Amino acid sequence: MKIIYLDHHATTPVDPRVLEAMLPYFTEHFGNAASRSHSYGSVAEEAVEKARTQVADLLSATARDVIFTSGATESINLALRGISNFYRERGNHIITCQTEHRAVLYTCQALENNGFRVTYLPVDEWGRITLDHLEAAVSKETILISIMFGNHEIGTLQDVEAIGRIAKSSGVFFHCDATQAVGCEAIDVERLGVDILSLSAHKIYGPKGTGALYVRRKNPRVRLSPILSGGGQERGHRSGTLNVPGIVGLGQACEILKTSRKTEHGQISKLRDRLKEILEQHLDGLQFNGHPEKRLAGNLSVSFADVEGHSLLPKLADTIAVSAGASCTSAIPEPSYILKAIGGAGAMAQATIRIGIGRFNSKKEIEIAGQRIVAAVRELRTAKSPQSVDCSDPASDVRH
Ligand SMILES: Cc1ncc(COP(=O)(O)O)c(C=O)c1O
């Protein structure tokens, strides 16, 4: 039987409509979008500009504000390093939060090593920052606030609009990592007051290796020091030959979302609620992590009492693909930094799974997955003899 894929926060399958749009750009339309002297180049350039409009439309932005990158990690690096280095004379303080993706956290650490001061705001039990904390952290030296839209592990959505207001009234740029949220939440950069925003194609049924960075060009204009030197593509912001098929795929993925996001959000939330219901009906000792309402549609992060750390995943692996809520960097599995930040550092946090439901999951798959999880948890609780896990593999700590 095919393993049921419920790990859509890690990556999503390419939508067949996206693949179809991309294919001609590998073969007949293979031109370099920067080759102005012939039609191979102009065909590729037209395709890139169409995709730029498709991405901008999803964000209620203008096409000239969109830069193509290799994915959210690069977008985030360009946003954080680019702003910090450009505005270094203006101030050296950055505000972010403890539950950001490592692309943000480790970039901030690198900036700290380079003379910047970073405030890592704590979060409440649901994983939300407190707006008072944010306001109190802003100083004359602050140049950038970087807070994510939706969390990749516990699904919590931040109050992006309120953060945007605080940033605007303080004259500080606001970067938002919307990598997980862009597939399910309506994003209007004007309404939300976001100045710079990162996203990735492979989280929204597009190809891996392509992303985008929205960079506001007026009210206020955001300027960036590039992090890559070279041919000056993307108006000097991001040198390197453009990945035309990938960009076409990202554009198509955004266009599909523009028309289907709302309906899909409803369908996926229903499946998520049904899975939660199955678990609640048949198991006790459960804890659902993250905000109960303000959350990504497909996310379910659940901790099981009396189940040892990583013993659950191997039991599920032949039926469903989900991911762990713990990091496996030592002999004893530790709760992830995100679960620790919301206060779940105890035993409950150790047996945690992250479920990410997506566009192509069916009701039947959810029923099977629910039953399988219930059976596995019951078995483990009865046996009380956890399977050992090889924690020596550092790759097991990679978070998506
Ligand atoms: C919230 C968040 N930000 C950033 C990233 C990095 O995205 P990418 O894999 O496209 O570099 C991910 C995924 O791993 C993510 O979930």
Side-chain angles (χ1 to χ4, degrees):
M1 201 182 83
K2 202 170 144 212
I3 294 171
I4 300 168
Y5 187 75
L6 294 177
D7 199 12
H8 288 84
H9 301 305
T11 196
T12 58
V14 172
D15 188 302
R17 294 165 288 181
V18 168
L19 180 64
E20 195 187 323
M22 290 171 68
L23 284 176
Y25 294 92
F26 287 103
T27 50
E28 61 207 277
H29 305 314
F30 61 86
N32 184 328
S35 300
R36 296 247 155 82
S37 56
H38 51 69
S39 63
Y40 287 95
S42 51
V43 167
E45 191 191 9
E46 265 170 42
V48 167
E49 293 317 313
K50 180 180 170 196
R52 208 183 295 283
T53 304
Q54 288 167 317
V55 175
D57 282 352
L58 187 67
L59 308 175
S60 301
T62 45
R64 280 169 65 83
D65 296 355
V66 174
I67 295 168
F68 291 112
T69 65
S70 65
T73 300
E74 187 192 331
S75 296
I76 290 166
N77 270 266
L78 178 55
L80 270 53
R81 292 174 196 265
I83 287 186
S84 303
N85 291 330
F86 193 92
Y87 293 97
R88 202 176 190 124
E89 300 302 312
R90 201 191 267 187
N92 74 339
H93 182 226
I94 298 162
I95 302 173
T96 185
C97 99
Q98 292 172 357
T99 53
E100 292 290 309
H101 190 270
R102 283 181 167 129
V104 169
L105 295 176
Y106 289 175
T107 304
C108 283
Q109 276 179 23
L111 289 166
E112 280 182 293
N113 293 336
N114 225 338
F116 288 88
R117 189 168 68 79
V118 182
T119 301
Y120 300 90
L121 295 174
V123 291
D124 64 17
E125 63 189 304
W126 310 122
R128 291 190 119 198
I129 62 159
T130 306
L131 297 173
D132 289 347
H133 288 165
L134 175 61
E135 273 179 318
V138 177
S139 74
K140 282 210 302 286
E141 294 297 309
T142 312
I143 49 171
L144 175 65
I145 296 171
S146 183
I147 302 288
M148 73 198 324
F149 205 126
N151 188 273
H152 49 295
E153 190 171 321
I154 56 171
T156 297
L157 301 174
Q158 299 288 349
D159 189 347
V160 175
E161 197 168 347
I163 297 166
R165 273 198 301 272
I166 293 172
K168 187 139 277 182
S169 68
S170 323
V172 173
F173 294 125
F174 175 27
H175 167 253
C176 185
D177 172 6
T179 309
Q180 294 290 344
V182 81
C184 34
E185 293 299 307
I187 295 185
D188 176 335
V189 286
E190 290 307 324
R191 185 176 57 76
L192 297 172
V194 171
D195 298 314
I196 184 156
L197 179 141
S198 298
L199 60 90
S200 198
H202 76 104
K203 309 282 188 183
I204 54 172
Y205 309 92
K208 291 164 187 62
T210 308
L213 183 66
Y214 157 79
V215 188
R216 180 181 289 283
R217 281 163 51 90
K218 50 180 195 248
N219 303 322
R221 178 172 182 199
V222 180
R223 309 194 61 186
L224 300 173
S225 295
I227 56 175
L228 297 178
S229 310
Q233 287 89 344
E234 297 298 86
R235 296 196 316 278
H237 285 117
R238 201 274 183 178
S239 286
T241 300
L242 293 177
N243 170 4
V244 179
I247 289 168
V248 167
L250 172 58
Q252 187 63 30
C254 288
E255 186 170 320
I256 293 170
L257 269 179
K258 179 121 177 111
T259 51
S260 67
R261 189 194 53 76
K262 241 188 176 156
T263 329
E264 210 168 284
H265 186 284
Q267 286 162 353
I268 291 176
S269 322
K270 265 199 199 140
L271 294 178
R272 195 259 325 275
D273 292 347
R274 175 63 191 142
L275 185 53
K276 184 166 181 264
E277 186 180 75
I278 297 171
L279 300 182
E280 284 173 325
Q281 270 171 3
H282 300 284
L283 293 171
D284 50 21
L286 298 177
Q287 178 185 296
F288 294 97
N289 306 303
H291 197 285
E293 292 112 36
K294 305 209 178 309
R295 52 186 304 103
L296 295 169
N299 177 277
L300 197 62
S301 167
V302 54
S303 303
F304 302 90
D306 301 323
V307 178
E308 285 296 319
H310 278 205
S311 56
L312 192 51
L313 283 190
K315 275 229 166 285
L316 298 173
D318 62 345
T319 331
I320 57 175
V322 292
S323 114
S327 52
C328 204
T329 45
S330 63
I332 304 159
E334 282 255 309
S336 72
Y337 69 93
I338 293 170
L339 292 174
K340 280 186 188 162
I342 60 169
M348 280 293 268
Q350 292 188 17
T352 298
I353 54 172
R354 176 190 71 173
I355 299 164
I357 300 169
R359 177 177 290 167
F360 301 113
N361 286 129
S362 64
K363 186 147 189 284
K364 188 166 171 228
E365 285 179 319
I366 295 301
E367 298 290 332
I368 296 170
Q371 287 159 16
R372 185 71 196 102
I373 296 168
V374 169
V377 169
R378 281 186 177 157
E379 258 176 65
L380 287 166
R381 283 181 177 165
T382 313
K384 285 257 175 167
S385 58
Q387 290 180 5
S388 64
V389 183
D390 178 10
C391 286
S392 57
D393 175 11
S396 62
D397 190 33
V398 170
R399 304 299 304 165
H400 313 282

